[in-house]
Amino acid sequence: MAELLGVAVLGAGHMGADHIRRLDQVVSGARVAAVADPDLDRAKDAVAGLDGVTVHADPLAALDAPGVEAVLIASPGPAHEEPLLAAFERGLPVLCEKPMVPDSTGALRVVEAEAGLGRRLAQIGFMRRYDAEYRRLKSLLDGGGLGRPLMLHCTHRNVSSPPGFTSAMLINSSVSHEIDAARWLLGQELTAVTVLRPRPSSDAPDGLLDPQLVLFETDGGALVDVEVFVNCGFGYQVRCEAVCERGSARIGEDHTMLVTSAGGARAEVAQDYLVRFADAYDREVQAWVDATRQGLVTGPSSWDGYASSVVAEAGVRALESGGRTAVELAPRPDLYADLSR
Ligand SMILES: NC(=O)c1ccc[n+]([C@@H]2O[C@H](COP(=O)([O-])OP(=O)(O)OC[C@H]3O[C@@H](n4cnc5c(N)ncnc54)[C@H](O)[C@@H]3O)[C@@H](O)[C@H]2O)c1
């Protein structure tokens, strides 16, 4: 392996450009070797000022570019399956943004292809597992001092939804993070979903069912509720309270700057995920680079990506039907035996 891990970044949009900046300026031990985006101008803009990077319209050409030893996939979810399978064929380690593959049939193909290799190559971009507060909550729950967790109360609010955001995307895009976080925090699989909806906010785009209240059941008998509200107007808020047998623990309070003036106090609220989870993205990519340089694959697995897609699909069906929908997972290959890994 070269002194710096050569990374091909696929997709140079919001996340891809931010990961390119992170690999170049924040993370140690890696460099951007190639970038692919069908919008070549966007790709060129994202690597302006970087040396030794090749730019491609075709993502597979970037995998085969000189100096590429690992792949970071940040294209839209439906475009992830092809480069994941291509990376597996080439034996390249991958960090793939969530959703791994939104369609669960395609997600299962990825799991089966990796399981067929007999070793992990993919880490999935559920970056909350790298957030300092989430990690503290996880170690508190694992320590067992509060007894068994009984419920998680979660909140996921965005200032406004991007154009084209659909009612299903509240679940399969926004709540996909809570799906993974709940599975990881509890070490349990989600087994059923019910979605309730109050009247839509008058500030939501016409026809968008926003907010929604999503209720998950788990195979360990816990319940997880998620308020998802993507046009709340005032900020980006992600909170989680674990209620256990002998106490509760809450993370995600807005502990940014508190401004006191003129007889009052005003707490600032982060406006987007790139600010709220900046440290988590940095730690996620650094952990991936460090592990890859040691020949290891750690973090959320393809199984986690698959399970998230199956639960999200069940959630969308529950939204449409108004009823409780069971989650049916395929048998888990031995490669992914440990849920919390
Ligand atoms: N982890 C997180 O918190 C988080 C947050 C936002 C987005 N995401 C994920 O990151 C991914 C990208 O989201 P985004 O917000 O950057 O989207 P975006 O629309 O800003 O950018 C996507 C880019 O990919 C390019 N593209 C399209 N098809 C491609 C292909 N086949 N190969 C390579 N590039 C292709 C587009 O031209 C565009 O430049 C998605 O999977 C999204 O769900 C994750």
Side-chain angles (χ1 to χ4, degrees), residues 309-334:
S309 297
V310 175
V311 175
E313 280 180 349
V316 172
R317 287 201 302 280
L319 171 68
E320 289 163 359
S321 71
R324 174 183 180 276
T325 303
V327 173
E328 307 277 350
L329 292 177
R332 186 169 59 197
D334 291 343

Side-chain angles (χ1 to χ4, degrees), residues 198-212:
R199 62 183 175 190
S201 163
S202 50
D203 290 333
D206 270 356
L208 191 72
L209 299 173
D210 183 31
Q212 298 173 18

Side-chain angles (χ1 to χ4, degrees), residues 10-16 36-39 42 59 74-77 79-80 97-99 125 127 173 177 273 281:
L10 312 186
H14 285 103
M15 285 311 299
D37 195 307
D39 184 337
R42 190 175 290 174
S75 49
H80 292 177
E97 268 302 343
K98 65 86 210 167
M127 80 298 174
S173 182
H177 281 295
Y273 47 83
Y281 292 118

Side-chain angles (χ1 to χ4, degrees), residues 4-216:
L4 297 178
L5 180 76
V7 179
V9 180
L10 312 186
H14 285 103
M15 285 311 299
D18 199 49
H19 284 316
I20 289 169
R21 175 196 61 78
R22 178 170 293 107
L23 285 165
D24 182 51
Q25 297 175 18
V26 181
V27 164
S28 62
R31 71 176 189 94
V32 181
V35 173
D37 195 307
D39 184 337
L40 271 177
D41 288 337
R42 190 175 290 174
K44 285 178 189 157
D45 283 351
V47 298
L50 271 62
D51 290 330
V53 189
T54 55
V55 173
H56 310 262
D58 172 11
L60 299 194
L63 299 196
D64 295 325
V68 169
E69 298 164 293
V71 188
L72 195 164
I73 301 178
S75 49
H80 292 177
E81 182 181 350
E82 185 188 34
L84 275 164
L85 296 178
F88 293 170
E89 278 169 17
R90 290 160 176 77
L92 291 170
V94 192
L95 174 58
C96 179
E97 268 302 343
K98 65 86 210 167
M100 180 181 80
V101 177
D103 151 48
S104 66
T105 310
L108 187 57
R109 281 193 291 267
V110 170
V111 163
E112 287 170 345
E114 191 180 40
L117 296 173
R119 65 186 176 117
R120 284 189 56 194
L121 277 176
Q123 174 180 325
I124 310 305
F126 291 117
M127 80 298 174
R128 288 196 195 168
R129 297 190 187 200
Y130 297 87
D131 176 69
E133 289 184 77
Y134 271 89
R135 291 178 86 87
R136 283 183 67 195
L137 181 57
K138 168 79 174 155
S139 68
L140 182 75
L141 297 181
D142 286 353
L146 296 185
R148 294 179 305 168
L150 307 173
M151 291 180 283
L152 299 179
H153 301 304
C154 310
T155 307
H156 186 145
R157 298 178 180 144
N158 297 73
V159 178
S160 60
S161 54
F165 208 79
T166 65
S167 300
M169 288 166 85
L170 270 78
I171 296 172
N172 61 24
S173 182
S174 306
V175 176
S176 69
H177 281 295
E178 274 76 19
I179 291 172
D180 182 69
R183 294 178 61 253
W184 175 67
L185 286 170
L186 298 170
Q188 297 169 22
E189 291 290 9
L190 306 183
T191 53
V193 198
T194 307
V195 181
L196 300 175
R197 44 208 226 212
R199 62 183 175 190
S201 163
S202 50
D203 290 333
D206 270 356
L208 191 72
L209 299 173
D210 183 31
Q212 298 173 18
L213 188 67
V214 186
L215 180 66
F216 297 107

